[in-house]
Amino acid sequence: TFYYFIRLCLEKILLQCILQSRALSGADAINALRPFYFAVHPDFFGQHPKEREVNENSLKRLNGYLENLQKPGFRSFKPTQLTFYVREREPNSSNVQESFSASGFRAVSFTLHTRDLLSTVLDILNSCSLSTEHIQSLNVSSQAHQEAKSTVNRPIKWDKTYYSFTGFKDPEEELEQAQRMETTLISWLDDNEARAVKKLKKSLPLRKELERLKFELSHQLQLSDIRWQRSWGIAHRCSQLHSLGRLVQQRPEVLKNVKGHTVVFTDRSGMSAAGHIMLGTMDVHHHWTKIFERLPNYYKLQKRLLLLEDRISQLLGGIQVIYIEELQPLLTLEEYYETLDSFYNKLRDSRLPFHPRSLRGLQMILESDRYAPSLHEFGHFIIPTVCDPATLQWFIFAKAQEARENLKRKEEMMITEKELINTSTEKFSLDRLYKEPSVSSAQMIGCCKRLLEESLPYLQGMHLCISHFYSVLQDGDLCIPWNWK
């Protein structure tokens, strides 16, 4: 009878916990997370493709976690580690819609291991240093909230011998274990290898089809390369190439000027700052045709752009102005020309006293959404277009020697990275090993060195992507964080 009584008491407590977890509905959770979504939504990172991609993938995994929490009987304690780039707030703004500026963003990583929506929402907001005050005003019964609060903080504590005697799990120990639990590479591969292999096998015919289409179109149009800005699936890429192939058949005359160029499938059509032909995946053939017809005019603008870069270089002691496609926002040729022109006029009016050719051999890139100059690990200066000329001059002079050293180290680093990728691919019999653009060379080198110390038979024949999170992509590619445990 005593055992039965204890069981009834426990069931009552568990029922209260379940009711508490339902105190916040799915709609309430989305409402409560509005400030978070506003801070990390990929649409606000249009000028930052690397950060946008990280946020897109993390949001997919977060949404999956929130959906699981709302499923009946969900009891998984499996922690989910997420990384987001959070837009910085303006210090003196009270309006949520106006509280974020283009001054920058910060990377935030946190691990979710909660069972209920309310705790999960609070964890997310607190991890991103966002206010939780608005949660009180949601359409959640305040009485239910208070009851839930009192249930969690009830001073009832069962003796440890009770759990030994009954065989029930100690909820305190269970919670501590879940909090301590962290996804490791081995455990994650154990759980996800079979799913990845199944998806990879399913994608193999499409992968072959993609290579065939890419080769045929590149040969037919005499293209330098065909690329994709975003990590679309294989089926999506094949569809885009089929679409281009149909245009070639229907209007072969408009493609006479593409010889030797690179075609990039992206979000909009035009010519990129790097001189590549951009085909917007949402545009119809009519828009693509217009871009191909305008190519002669684009080539003329490209020559003017190169001349403008030379003029800026002359004003800055011979430093070379470059555009790095992998590291910079995807700008159109027109947008980049306007940026250069504005920066050139500012330099010309300031008349900075740089000695001619004193900075030859150095490199710089221009970015319109930064406010402070910086030096990249590869040795190039990252200069904001709004940078004060005097600040610009001081920074370049102060960092010139370090920049030259970084440029020398760049070649060594790239060689080391390539060697480690080849060695890792061979050791684990990988079909492919690659990294996301947001992973630096230093991070990739450290990751590969640590991988080579492990024995990982799971990876044979797989496609492995070094990223910021764990994930199995729709075509079977395995994503692991560069700083895996």
Side-chain angles (χ1 to χ4, degrees), residues 78 182-198 454-459 462 464 470-472 478-480 485:
K78 187 177 179 181
E182 191 171 11
T183 303
T184 64
L185 179 61
I186 302 297
S187 66
W188 186 82
L189 288 174
D190 277 337
D191 293 340
N192 292 276
E193 181 208 6
R195 185 161 63 102
V197 169
K198 184 179 178 181
E454 303 291 326
S455 176
L456 301 168
Y458 322 80
L459 299 180
M462 301 303 293
L464 182 64
Y470 288 103
S471 179
V472 177
L478 289 166
C479 288
I480 66 170
K485 305 294 183 186

Side-chain angles (χ1 to χ4, degrees), residues 308 312 315 340-350:
L308 200 50
I312 293 172
L315 292 175
L340 288 173
D341 189 50
S342 174
F343 187 70
Y344 169 70
N345 291 329
K346 190 174 184 179
L347 282 179
R348 185 185 57 191
D349 295 340
S350 65

Side-chain angles (χ1 to χ4, degrees), residues 238-256:
C238 284
S239 175
Q240 291 158 0
L241 291 182
H242 278 300
S243 187
L244 179 59
R246 285 194 297 272
L247 179 61
V248 173
Q249 291 177 353
Q250 295 166 6
R251 298 289 305 278
E253 74 280 358
V254 301
L255 291 122
K256 60 184 178 182

Side-chain angles (χ1 to χ4, degrees), residues 288-331:
W288 289 5
T289 301
K290 280 189 173 181
I291 296 303
F292 290 126
E293 289 174 343
R294 288 184 199 146
L295 285 179
N297 291 330
Y298 279 126
Y299 298 152
K300 290 177 183 176
L301 181 59
Q302 197 173 19
K303 288 181 180 178
R304 289 169 56 196
L305 187 145
L306 294 173
L307 182 61
L308 200 50
E309 286 180 339
D310 287 339
R311 287 176 178 171
I312 293 172
S313 177
Q314 291 169 13
L315 292 175
L316 292 178
I319 190 170
Q320 184 185 6
V321 183
I322 59 174
Y323 178 86
I324 305 177
E325 189 180 13
E326 295 79 12
L327 300 178
Q328 290 184 258
L330 187 66
L331 301 175

Side-chain angles (χ1 to χ4, degrees), residues 48-62:
H48 299 277
K50 299 170 292 183
E51 290 76 11
R52 173 177 178 151
E53 188 169 8
V54 169
N55 283 12
E56 279 181 344
N57 287 300
S58 292
L59 277 175
K60 288 177 187 175
R61 299 174 67 235
L62 171 60

Side-chain angles (χ1 to χ4, degrees), residues 210 214 217-218 223-232 236-237 240-241 244 260-267 272 274-281 288 323-327 330 432:
L210 180 68
K214 186 177 176 181
L217 279 171
S218 296
L223 295 172
S224 175
D225 195 8
I226 297 176
R227 299 181 195 167
W228 285 264
Q229 179 206 358
R230 307 263 296 281
S231 53
W232 284 295
H236 196 169
R237 296 186 182 202
Q240 291 158 0
L241 291 182
L244 179 59
H261 281 77
T262 294
V263 166
V264 181
F265 288 97
T266 181
D267 294 326
S272 73
H276 302 325
I277 301 165
M278 301 191 303
L279 299 181
T281 56
W288 289 5
Y323 178 86
I324 305 177
E325 189 180 13
E326 295 79 12
L327 300 178
L330 187 66
R432 186 187 177 203

Side-chain angles (χ1 to χ4, degrees), residues 26-213:
D28 288 331
I30 293 173
N31 215 11
L33 286 173
R34 274 185 180 176
F36 165 75
Y37 286 128
F38 193 72
V40 304
H41 200 283
D43 286 352
F44 294 106
F45 288 79
Q47 298 297 310
H48 299 277
K50 299 170 292 183
E51 290 76 11
R52 173 177 178 151
E53 188 169 8
V54 169
N55 283 12
E56 279 181 344
N57 287 300
S58 292
L59 277 175
K60 288 177 187 175
R61 299 174 67 235
L62 171 60
N63 290 337
Y65 189 93
L66 294 175
E67 286 173 10
N68 284 334
L69 283 180
Q70 298 172 68
K71 292 178 181 177
F74 175 76
R75 292 183 54 83
S76 175
F77 258 121
K78 187 177 179 181
T80 298
Q81 187 172 4
L82 300 171
T83 296
F84 285 99
Y85 285 94
V86 181
R87 295 190 297 137
E88 293 287 11
R89 284 179 169 274
E90 290 282 6
N92 299 319
S93 179
S94 58
N95 188 322
V96 174
Q97 297 295 325
E98 298 174 355
S99 61
F100 293 92
S101 69
S103 59
F105 41 78
R106 54 194 165 87
V108 174
S109 295
F110 53 89
T111 302
L112 296 177
H113 48 69
T114 46
R115 286 191 187 193
D116 63 277
L117 281 173
L118 181 59
S119 300
T120 303
V121 167
L122 290 172
D123 276 358
I124 293 169
L125 294 173
N126 287 326
S127 298
C128 297
S129 303
L130 297 171
S131 173
T132 58
E133 292 179 6
H134 62 287
I135 293 180
Q136 300 294 335
S137 63
L138 293 174
N139 295 324
V140 182
S141 168
S142 59
Q143 183 181 351
H145 182 72
Q146 290 300 324
E147 286 176 1
K149 195 173 181 181
S150 63
T151 303
V152 173
N153 297 325
R154 285 186 68 179
I156 297 177
K157 206 170 184 178
W158 299 103
D159 190 273
K160 299 292 181 185
T161 54
Y162 165 75
Y163 299 106
S164 301
F165 179 77
T166 61
F168 291 145
K169 291 183 179 180
D170 184 345
E172 285 189 357
E173 286 186 4
E174 216 177 13
L175 181 60
E176 288 174 8
Q177 183 182 358
Q179 290 173 338
R180 287 194 305 268
M181 194 186 302
E182 191 171 11
T183 303
T184 64
L185 179 61
I186 302 297
S187 66
W188 186 82
L189 288 174
D190 277 337
D191 293 340
N192 292 276
E193 181 208 6
R195 185 161 63 102
V197 169
K198 184 179 178 181
K199 287 186 174 184
L200 181 61
K201 284 182 178 177
K202 188 178 178 181
S203 74
L204 289 178
L206 274 176
R207 289 180 186 271
K208 290 181 180 178
E209 173 72 357
L210 180 68
E211 288 303 312
R212 182 187 68 79
L213 289 169

